[in-house]
């Protein structure tokens, strides 16, 4: 049960009364006339075979207010795409799959590449970016929500709560971010969020003063959650990273474009569990190792756009400050866990913090050594300026891929 604290920066929507889902959904159906809703599901083909997605689709089948569901499908060959079409066919809502590796969308990607506009690397950010372009072209929704496809504890109340703040006709929020406790099987999870992002933001505040941007980021209870909703025009103007920096990138872009009065967060669930990636300490190309590098790079680059300058010496200080703050937080997490009868492996937590600390330096060197890197994908506004009919052609390509014969 959450309290009713407001942090004074963004509005916080709590779950104070466990209001029945039927009441929320009834309102959402009424709101949908004025603000129709699209749902984007960024998915890997492998997730169709995992334990979460079949249940998510079962829940979605019963959602009465959605105008469309757009599934961004990554890492699928032709046969797998055909399987995905069958898999999602049970959705009663209008739905389309973006076969990102298919020949039609690849051809458009090549065209964008020729103009220097294509995402530079594969990843969740790239997948979401293409889906964002598609929902603009399909023009079915005024409000768009996104959630991950590996949520093991999914129920459709999560989606209702995620949409509500942005679709209520008398509220004028542009963007809403979800939060929840990542607790499962007696353990406290959310390792990158708890052990890296929170102490890193606080270390940056110690070093650079209480910048409004850092205060703002730190006001999110779960900055890395993959669940957010927004008015559809928000998607047009933002530049997001192609990789795991997506969540931090989106939060940064909405901060740049809107007053914090137009931004909010919402309590989505009492517990949340998903697929846990390995830490992957030995291999920086995967797992939480890679995720922490991508996030640190995205944060440094966004801070640079706020006028913050970095140096090798500064990164060393950041590492030391972060490390101390992270160890103090582990103590707090541990005590909180004990009182709640949860388990926390302090050794594993400290090992993760050591890795993240090293990665802050690693990401720092990448930042200082590659000033010309293009980690952010251009906004769709820019794509439309360069190739005006590309979104429409993408729409047609998706229609053809989803038609009976591919
Ligand atoms: O949100 C996070 O911190 C990362 O996605 C890792 O989450 P996990 O520890 O719950 O796997």
């Amino acid at each position: 049960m959450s309290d009713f604290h407001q942090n004074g920066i963004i509005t916080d929507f709590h779950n104070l009364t466990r209001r029945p889902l039927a009441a929320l959904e009834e309102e959402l159906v009424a709101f949908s006339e004025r603000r129709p809703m699209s749902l984007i599901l960024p998915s890997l083909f492998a997730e169709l075979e995992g334990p979460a997605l079949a249940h998510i689709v079962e829940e979605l089948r019963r959602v009465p207010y959605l105008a469309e569901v757009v599934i961004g499908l990554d890492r699928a060959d032709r046969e797998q795409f055909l399987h995905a079409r069958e898999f999602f066919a049970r959705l009663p809502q209008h739905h389309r799959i973006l076969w990102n590796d298919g020949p039609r969308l690849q051809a458009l990607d090549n065209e964008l590449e020729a103009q220097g506009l294509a995402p530079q690397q594969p990843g969740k950010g790239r997948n979401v970016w293409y889906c964002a372009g598609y929902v603009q072209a399909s023009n079915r929704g005024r409000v768009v929500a996104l959630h991950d496809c590996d949520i093991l504890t999914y129920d459709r109340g999560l989606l209702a709560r995620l949409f509500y703040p942005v679709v209520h006709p008398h509220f004028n929020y542009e963007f809403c971010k979800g939060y929840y406790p990542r607790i499962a099987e007696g353990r406290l999870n959310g390792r990158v969020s708890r052990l890296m992002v929170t102490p890193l933001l606080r270390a940056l505040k110690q070093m650079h003063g209480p910048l409004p941007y850092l205060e703002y980021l730190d006001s999110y209870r779960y900055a890395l959650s993959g669940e957010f909703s927004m008015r559809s025009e928000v998607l047009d103007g933002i530049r997001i990273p192609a990789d795991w920096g997506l969540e931090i990138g989106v939060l940064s872009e909405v901060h740049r474009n809107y007053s914090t009065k137009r931004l909010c967060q919402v309590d989505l669930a009492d517990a949340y569990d998903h697929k846990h990636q390995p830490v992957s300490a030995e291999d920086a190309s995967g797992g939480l190792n890679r995720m922490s590098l991508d996030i640190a790079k995205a944060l440094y680059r966004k801070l640079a756009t706020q006028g913050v300058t970095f140096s090798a010496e500064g990164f060393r200080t950041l590492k030391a400050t972060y490390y101390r703050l992270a160890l103090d937080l582990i103590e707090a997490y541990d005590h909180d866990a004990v009182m709640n009868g949860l388990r926390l492996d302090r050794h594993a937590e400290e090992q993760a913090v050591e890795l993240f600390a090293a990665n802050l330096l690693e990401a720092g060197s990448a930042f200082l050594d590659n000033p010309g890197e293009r980690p952010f994908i251009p906004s769709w506004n820019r794509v439309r300026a360069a190739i005006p009919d590309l979104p429409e052609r993408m729409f047609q390509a998706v229609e053809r891929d989803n038609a009976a014969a591919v």
Side-chain angles (χ1 to χ4, degrees):
M1 187 67 80
S2 67
D3 58 23
F4 45 61
H5 178 74
Q6 293 289 345
N7 62 41
I9 301 176
I10 57 171
T11 302
D12 202 327
F13 286 84
H14 304 94
N15 195 352
L16 300 174
T17 60
R18 303 288 179 272
R19 194 167 166 220
L21 175 59
L24 281 172
E25 287 190 332
E26 198 182 311
E27 283 194 70
L28 287 166
V29 169
F31 300 162
S32 69
E33 291 196 7
R34 230 160 103 187
R35 294 186 174 164
M37 289 163 255
S38 302
L39 172 64
I40 292 178
L41 298 176
S43 174
L44 299 170
F45 177 76
E47 284 171 329
L48 270 66
E49 297 179 323
L53 194 53
H55 173 66
I56 292 176
V57 171
E58 273 315 301
E59 282 287 297
L60 287 176
R61 277 166 57 91
R62 293 186 283 148
V63 174
Y65 50 79
L66 280 175
E68 87 185 324
V69 181
V70 176
I71 301 117
L73 184 68
D74 266 354
R75 294 205 228 142
D77 62 24
R78 187 189 149 78
E79 208 175 301
Q80 290 167 328
F81 169 63
L82 293 176
H83 172 71
R85 281 201 336 197
E86 259 172 58
F87 183 90
F88 289 105
R90 64 194 122 141
L91 283 175
Q93 299 91 348
H94 178 89
H95 61 276
R96 291 290 182 264
I97 303 172
L98 268 67
W99 180 21
N100 290 324
D101 299 328
R104 292 195 175 95
L105 293 189
Q106 281 297 316
L108 293 176
D109 190 73
N110 292 340
E111 213 180 303
L112 284 167
E113 179 60 35
Q115 303 252 15
L117 296 171
Q120 291 302 292
Q121 353 167 1
K124 184 177 167 192
R126 175 188 191 275
N127 191 353
V128 167
W129 186 80
Y130 274 113
C131 292
Y134 176 82
V135 294
Q136 290 302 322
S138 86
N139 201 24
R140 282 178 172 262
R142 297 272 85 80
V143 176
V144 180
L146 262 107
H147 66 64
D148 285 345
C149 288
D150 65 348
I151 310 172
L152 295 162
T153 46
Y154 190 83
D155 80 80
R156 66 189 209 277
L158 177 150
L159 188 65
R161 301 185 57 74
L162 183 59
F163 269 122
Y164 195 100
V166 185
V167 290
H168 192 296
H170 300 152
F171 299 171
N172 51 8
Y173 296 102
E174 293 283 344
F175 174 84
C176 178
K177 174 90 172 170
Y179 68 85
Y180 32 64
R182 283 211 179 161
I183 299 171
E185 290 163 8
R187 276 197 311 272
L188 213 57
N189 295 317
R191 292 158 293 169
V192 182
S193 184
R194 272 190 306 112
L195 299 172
M196 183 184 145
V197 175
T198 298
L200 173 58
L201 291 175
R202 297 190 184 158
L204 286 163
K205 280 199 273 188
Q206 275 193 19
M207 285 179 66
H208 300 286
L211 290 178
Y213 169 69
L214 292 172
E215 295 293 350
Y216 155 79
L217 281 182
D218 199 23
S219 74
Y220 283 98
R221 287 169 180 251
Y222 207 103
L224 294 189
S225 77
E227 289 69 36
F228 37 97
S229 63
M230 67 205 107
R231 303 255 189 110
S232 56
E233 69 271 11
V234 173
L235 284 170
D236 265 359
I238 62 178
R239 295 172 66 232
I240 55 171
D243 54 24
W244 289 115
L246 167 70
E247 280 82 17
I248 291 289
V250 168
L251 295 185
S252 306
E253 287 289 281
V254 294
H255 181 247
R256 193 174 59 78
N257 289 345
Y258 302 100
S259 153
T260 48
K261 292 193 193 65
R262 301 277 170 272
L263 311 175
C264 62
Q265 60 186 337
V266 60
D267 182 344
L268 291 182
D270 290 339
Y272 180 104
D273 195 21
H274 67 145
K275 179 175 182 293
H276 299 283
Q277 303 219 33
V279 175
S280 183
E282 306 304 320
D283 175 12
S285 67
L288 303 191
N289 196 347
R290 163 79 195 276
M291 195 187 288
S292 64
L293 279 167
D294 289 352
I295 290 166
K297 284 190 217 165
L299 199 53
Y300 297 161
R301 291 206 165 86
K302 290 296 182 189
L303 276 164
T305 69
Q306 303 270 321
V308 172
T309 53
F310 292 104
S311 63
E313 205 184 8
F315 283 124
R316 279 199 296 277
T317 308
L318 178 64
K319 178 185 169 190
T321 311
Y322 156 81
Y323 188 61
R324 189 58 258 169
L325 289 170
L327 292 185
D328 291 344
L329 271 174
I330 292 179
E331 179 99 351
Y333 295 136
D334 187 27
H335 295 172
D336 199 11
V338 168
M339 183 165 139
N340 282 286
L342 299 168
R343 283 193 314 280
L344 190 101
D345 180 344
R346 279 188 78 142
H347 176 53
E349 299 257 303
E350 291 203 22
Q351 279 180 322
V353 162
E354 281 156 16
L355 176 73
F356 298 153
N359 280 352
L360 294 186
L361 271 189
E362 183 70 32
S365 320
F367 173 83
L368 295 174
D369 296 347
N370 299 310
E373 223 180 42
R374 284 190 285 140
F376 298 110
I377 315 172
S379 71
W380 275 99
N381 279 337
R382 176 165 169 199
V383 171
R384 256 193 298 277
I387 318 176
D389 66 344
L390 189 121
E392 176 55 27
R393 284 191 286 124
M394 176 164 79
F395 178 79
Q396 296 304 341
V398 172
E399 287 301 298
R400 266 181 234 125
D401 278 350
N402 283 261
V406 183

